Every structure is written in structure tokens, then in C-alpha cells.
Amino acid sequence: MLYQTLADRLQALISEGVYPVGSALPGVRRLSGSHGVSVSTVVSAARELERRGILEARPRSGYYVLPPAAQRAMPRARPRSRRPQPVTGQEQLLQIIQSVQDPAIVNFGTAVPDPDYMPAAVIEKAFRRVWREQRRRCIGYAFPPGTPELRTQIARHLAGLQCAVGPDQVLITNSCQESIAIALKLLTRPGDTVLLESPTYYGLLQVVEALGLKALELPSDPLEGISLGALELALERWPVTACVLVPNFSNPLGVCLSDARKQAILQLLARHRVPLVEDDIYGDLPFSGPRPRPIKSWDREGLVYYCSSSSKTLAAGLRVGWLVPGAEQHRAEYLQFVNTVCVGTPAQLALAEVLEKGSYGRMMREASARHAHSVARMVERVSQLFPAETRVSRPAGGFVLWIELPGKVDTGQLIGPALEAGVSFAPGHLFSATGKFSNCLRLNCAVRWDARVERALEALARLLRV
Ligand SMILES: Cc1ncc(COP(=O)(O)O)c(C=O)c1O
């Protein structure tokens, strides 16, 4: 490939010191002229050098040469699955999740920030107030679609993301997992095929298994997200019923799709009349730049079923999420009612109160800055402690890190000993239904860094080195 040849050439120039550490590469147009290739070849070559861990892209500034100590190659995408496959064996996950609840264990395993990193005082104040002022309502049910106050706040939040959604089009759910389950129940029947990115959030695989669906895994690149070519091929080749994606700061890779990719994906799906279940749970947590747009914001045909929740931003314990089910609003409300009757009233009212008070944007900026810092620290310690040749993702938001280990290590075998050593992580095989990623793991970085956490990471590194 031409871009790889150019990447090799640029890498050689960097190691010869033509472009020293810390310097910016010339602009893409200049490189295109001087190397006699197209601008898109230069961009692909620069991205390749990012994947190799040699360059870093700085928004609106260009590509910079990283110092050797900071150079880390990124985990590799895996080949696409050959055909849709039923998902099985997800039950084992609950055991891992349950063990993580043990306070004696340092939690690198579940994607949840340490409670000290969440705005607990703001939430507590909201609960007190709604209980004081609306006690009679708090004691009763708040049947689907949920309280008008919260639906109005969610509609306002979505308006800020350029999604034209009214309060009547919002369904309040028992968090994002239920939103996704309802969306897939609306869209599929057992045996249908659903497209997922790979690696994917294991909760999606669980829903796919529980509904008796087949998963077709599309390779996702840690820089650019799912392969558009693989998506197009899959849509042409298989009778796909729905596609589920996390376009903003996916879990576990932390990729944020560019606006151009988001639009291209929507166009492809629209051409094949395949609906998208969009999970935007991490969207409010960018490390830099503005809050990215959801794909829903370009949706004019009601193809996107938008799902999110307050689990990653305010409190997972609230168990409040939302779904925009488009034309299926009535059936979605009924499914929510059948699932769990409704969502707890105090939590709905308190969340509406938090969103209305206006400090949400500031809280998210503070949380994102903290997560960016935690992720950077984890990257640094992993580079120092984990085996040489370990590959590390470079998330653009959220708070998890995806790690690929060298050699034949099977992280699924190491979780037992790790828990015994007082530390958890999420083994890589959980993120695929087809046995991929057994030499990978995901780390939650939003932990309070102290001597105990440091010891836990060292213990984990020792386990991984054998
Ligand atoms: C991508 C993604 N979607 C959904 C969920 C589940 O969210 P909730 O707690 O709101 O059900 C998670 C939790 O880890 C997640 O990472």
C-alpha cells in the first residue's frame, strides 16, 4: 500500500532526526507535494504512524513526533467475523462483576468512576429537595414514558446536541442497558442478525444473547472506529436487522468517530433500511474540544434509536436512562412497562432537578479533565510496568483503556489469580462473541490514585509478566 510506504519513509526520517522529538511534521499539503502523493495518502500515512505510536495528532494543530518514552503502538483491529453467529456463555460475566463489588478489590474491572469522582453532593441536594417538595409523588409510580420534568430536561439536552426531539419522543428507562434491550426488542425477532463493532461493550453481547439474536462483528480501529468497507460488505451480504454502535468514545476502545464517518455510516444504513441503535453513554466526556454530535443529530428518517443514561456522568446507582424510539414510541412505552413497570420516581425527579440547575455542563468539563488526567497516568504506569511491546489505546474521551499484551497470554485465565491478589480487570474475551482478544484487557482508569491502587497495578503487572 502506498500509504504504508510513505509511513515507513516518514518513520525513517523521524529516526534520522530530520523531524526531531516534539516537532510538528510539515502540513499534509506540503508533504503531499514533496512526496508526490495525494493528501489522503499523507493523512493515511500519518494515521498509520499514530497507530505505531510515533506521532500524536493535536486538534487543529497537526501531527507531532512523540518522545521515545511516550511511544506506544496501539492495539490492532482483528479480522471481521466470517458470518453472523449466535452469542453464548455471557452468564460467566456476572461472576466477575459480582466479585468486583468487594470493597477489598481495586476496581480496574468495571467501567465506573470512583464515587469520589461523581458529584454526590449535588445529587444528594436534589434528592432532598424533591423528597421535601414532592413527597406524595415520590411515593407513587411514575409510569412510562416517565416524568414530564425529566423528559423535558432530556429533550433540552438533546436540542443542545442538534437533535430535534420533543419531550413526548423521550422514554425514561432503567438506564442505558434497558434502553438498548427495548430498542432491540422493538426491532428484531429471535434468529435475526445484528451488527456490532469489535471489540464491543459486553453488555451489548448479553442483550443479543438474551434475545436469541446473531451477532456479526465488524472490526473497529482504535483511531477511526468501525471499518466502513466491512460495514458495506456486511450490509450487502447478510440480512441485517439492526446495527448497534457507540460512536462517541466507544467502550472499550475510546474512539470517537469523525462527523464525516458518522454521516457515511448513517447513509449506508439508510440505503439498506437498517436501523441504528446508538448508545451515546460516554458522549458528554470528551478529553478535548466540543461535545461530539450523536449520529441521531443527522437522522431525518427516524432510523436512529438513541440510547443513553446518567451512569457514567452522574451516578450509575441512579439507574435512570432514556431512549428515543421514534415512530415506535407507544410500543416502547409498553415494553418498558412490561419489563419493570416504571423507573423510580425520586431518581427521575432528582435527575431532572440536577439537569435543570444548570451546572451540568461545568460538571462534565471538570469530570472529563479528571478522566483525561487519570487515563494519562494509567498509560504512563502501564508503559512502565507491563511487558515491553504492550499496545495501549489512546482514548479521546471516557475513562477506560484497552490493552493488547504481547505473546500468548490469556487474560481470561488470569482474572481468578488477579482477584485473589485484590485487583480486577475486564478480560479481553468478554468483548467479542467469537473468542477474539484473549490477549487483551480493559482497565478502568477513573480510580482514586493512592498507594493501594499503585500496589494493585504492580500486582497485576507481575501476573501479566509470567
Ligand atoms: C457502552 C455502554 N453502554 C451501556 C452501559 C450500561 O449502562 P447503564 O448502567 O446505564 O445501564 C455501559 C456500562 O458500562 C456501557 O459502557
Side-chain angles (χ1 to χ4, degrees), residues 110-112 173-180 197 200-204 245-246 248-252 279-282 307-312 315-317 319-321 399-400 442:
T110 51
V112 52
T173 63
N174 278 287
S175 237
C176 194
Q177 187 78 2
E178 191 186 42
S179 304
I180 293 160
E197 53 206 311
T200 193
Y201 166 55
Y202 43 70
L204 304 180
L245 294 178
V246 186
N248 294 325
F249 320 124
S250 59
N251 173 3
D279 176 348
D280 194 25
I281 194 166
Y282 294 98
C307 305
S308 194
S309 81
S310 52
S311 288
K312 309 299 172 184
R319 307 311 298 142
V320 181
F399 44 85
V400 297
R442 186 195 68 186

Side-chain angles (χ1 to χ4, degrees), residues 80-130:
R80 72 192 158 85
S81 302
R82 284 178 189 281
R83 61 182 62 81
Q85 296 202 358
V87 177
T88 54
Q90 291 296 312
E91 249 181 73
Q92 49 157 326
L93 183 90
L94 184 59
Q95 223 183 339
I96 298 176
I97 299 277
Q98 281 166 337
S99 49
V100 163
Q101 286 186 342
D102 181 346
I105 287 180
V106 172
N107 177 30
F108 298 136
T110 51
V112 52
D114 185 280
D116 287 353
Y117 284 174
M118 297 303 227
V122 176
I123 299 167
E124 183 184 335
K125 200 164 150 204
F127 266 100
R128 281 182 192 279
R129 187 173 170 140
V130 298

Side-chain angles (χ1 to χ4, degrees), residues 53-300:
I54 289 162
L55 290 183
E56 176 184 61
R58 298 198 192 144
R60 286 181 288 281
S61 180
Y63 291 96
Y64 286 76
V65 180
L66 284 168
Q71 289 184 4
R72 286 164 305 271
M74 292 199 191
R76 286 163 290 205
R78 304 288 158 96
R80 72 192 158 85
S81 302
R82 284 178 189 281
R83 61 182 62 81
Q85 296 202 358
V87 177
T88 54
Q90 291 296 312
E91 249 181 73
Q92 49 157 326
L93 183 90
L94 184 59
Q95 223 183 339
I96 298 176
I97 299 277
Q98 281 166 337
S99 49
V100 163
Q101 286 186 342
D102 181 346
I105 287 180
V106 172
N107 177 30
F108 298 136
T110 51
V112 52
D114 185 280
D116 287 353
Y117 284 174
M118 297 303 227
V122 176
I123 299 167
E124 183 184 335
K125 200 164 150 204
F127 266 100
R128 281 182 192 279
R129 187 173 170 140
V130 298
W131 192 259
R132 200 172 54 238
E133 294 179 1
Q134 308 198 56
R135 183 168 304 171
R136 292 178 69 80
R137 268 181 95 192
C138 284
I139 284 171
Y141 291 115
F143 292 116
T147 67
E149 291 91 336
L150 183 53
R151 287 185 291 114
T152 302
Q153 288 307 321
I154 300 301
R156 278 191 196 157
H157 181 65
L158 288 170
L161 308 180
Q162 303 183 50
C163 300
V165 171
D168 293 346
Q169 295 163 289
V170 175
L171 169 66
I172 305 303
T173 63
N174 278 287
S175 237
C176 194
Q177 187 78 2
E178 191 186 42
S179 304
I180 293 160
I182 292 176
L184 283 178
K185 271 189 202 165
L186 290 169
L187 293 168
T188 63
R189 276 186 278 169
D192 283 353
T193 293
V194 171
L195 293 179
L196 298 174
E197 53 206 311
S198 178
T200 193
Y201 166 55
Y202 43 70
L204 304 180
L205 294 172
Q206 285 147 29
V207 178
V208 166
E209 177 176 6
L211 297 181
L213 305 170
K214 288 186 199 145
L216 185 59
E217 299 179 352
L218 301 176
S220 190
D221 174 84
L223 267 181
E224 288 177 343
I226 60 161
S227 146
L228 290 182
L231 174 64
E232 189 161 16
L233 202 67
L235 289 168
E236 275 163 13
R237 181 115 192 255
W238 302 103
V240 174
T241 316
C243 177
V244 189
L245 294 178
V246 186
N248 294 325
F249 320 124
S250 59
N251 173 3
L253 288 177
V255 186
C256 184
L257 301 179
S258 67
D259 282 358
R261 267 181 175 253
K262 287 175 181 165
Q263 286 168 275
I265 289 171
L266 185 61
Q267 271 166 16
L268 267 176
L269 293 173
R271 200 184 313 146
H272 293 266
R273 303 299 315 151
V274 170
L276 171 68
V277 178
E278 177 174 32
D279 176 348
D280 194 25
I281 194 166
Y282 294 98
D284 290 347
L285 299 171
F287 291 164
S288 64
R291 200 277 190 204
R293 278 173 73 169
I295 295 186
K296 179 75 189 161
S297 66
W298 286 281
D299 178 30
R300 303 285 167 263

Side-chain angles (χ1 to χ4, degrees), residues 9-63:
R9 221 182 299 157
L10 290 173
Q11 186 170 351
L13 292 172
I14 290 167
S15 57
E16 284 160 17
V18 176
Y19 304 124
V21 166
S23 70
L25 244 54
V28 283
R29 275 178 212 291
R30 267 188 63 197
L31 284 174
S32 140
S34 55
H35 290 269
V37 294
S38 70
V39 165
S40 70
T41 302
V42 175
V43 172
S44 300
R47 296 236 124 195
E48 173 61 19
L49 290 176
E50 267 194 274
R51 275 186 209 96
R52 294 182 196 172
I54 289 162
L55 290 183
E56 176 184 61
R58 298 198 192 144
R60 286 181 288 281
S61 180
Y63 291 96

